[in-house]
Amino acid sequence: MTKIEIKTPGCFTKRLKREAADDASDEVCEKKSEEVTKAIAMRNDDGDSYFELGSGKKRCTVRKWKKEILIDIRETYEKDGKTLPGKKGVSLTLDQYKLLRNLISGGSIDKVILDLGGSI
């Protein structure tokens, strides 16, 4: 199992919470934008990179299939000591993933969650 370190910015959540509270403060998130969240990518038996999501029953796998890069978000199960992908899940093409990533990083999804009374 190979580990790969991925770094992602972690600023927009604080900004969205501030906007959702209608805080008129001019406070900016420059220092926070320099901070990074580290995620370790593991490799499965097929050599695909994956990230555990929560308890280990769900994972995000990045793989190639028929010359196309797919991002799978899927439940997993154990069989004969191996963790295998289950039927429940979704495979996103690279274009679909980019759209979802833009919705998340742009704060659109977080805003709807906050509007519905959820917390981030």
Side-chain angles (χ1 to χ4, degrees):
M1 190 179 318
T2 307
K3 292 184 179 182
I4 302 169
E5 187 174 306
I6 307 294
K7 296 182 178 182
T8 57
C11 173
F12 70 94
T13 301
K14 181 178 178 183
R15 177 177 43 83
L16 286 171
K17 285 181 182 177
R18 192 175 65 242
E19 288 173 2
D22 291 324
D23 185 358
S25 168
D26 289 334
E27 178 185 352
V28 291
C29 194
E30 290 176 18
K31 288 183 182 178
K32 288 281 185 182
S33 65
E34 294 174 7
E35 294 178 12
V36 293
T37 302
K38 295 179 183 178
I40 303 297
M42 309 296 245
R43 295 238 184 223
N44 63 18
D45 293 339
D46 294 330
D48 301 324
S49 296
Y50 70 90
F51 301 90
E52 293 289 340
L53 302 176
S55 67
K57 295 278 185 183
K58 293 183 175 107
R59 65 170 56 165
C60 177
T61 305
V62 182
R63 64 188 179 91
K64 252 191 168 175
W65 186 73
K66 293 187 177 181
K67 298 183 182 181
E68 191 168 4
I69 296 174
L70 296 176
I71 295 84
D72 287 337
I73 300 172
R74 190 161 302 281
E75 288 187 353
T76 60
Y77 68 96
E78 296 266 339
K79 182 177 179 182
D80 299 327
K82 289 188 173 187
T83 302
L84 301 171
K87 292 180 182 180
K88 291 183 180 180
V90 62
S91 293
L92 302 175
T93 64
L94 201 50
D95 288 338
Q96 291 168 329
Y97 166 74
K98 287 176 185 178
L99 289 171
L100 179 61
R101 183 187 64 191
N102 289 339
L103 289 170
I104 293 170
S105 65
S108 298
I109 293 176
D110 285 351
K111 183 179 180 333
V112 173
I113 291 170
L114 293 171
D115 289 346
L116 291 172
S119 63
I120 301 172

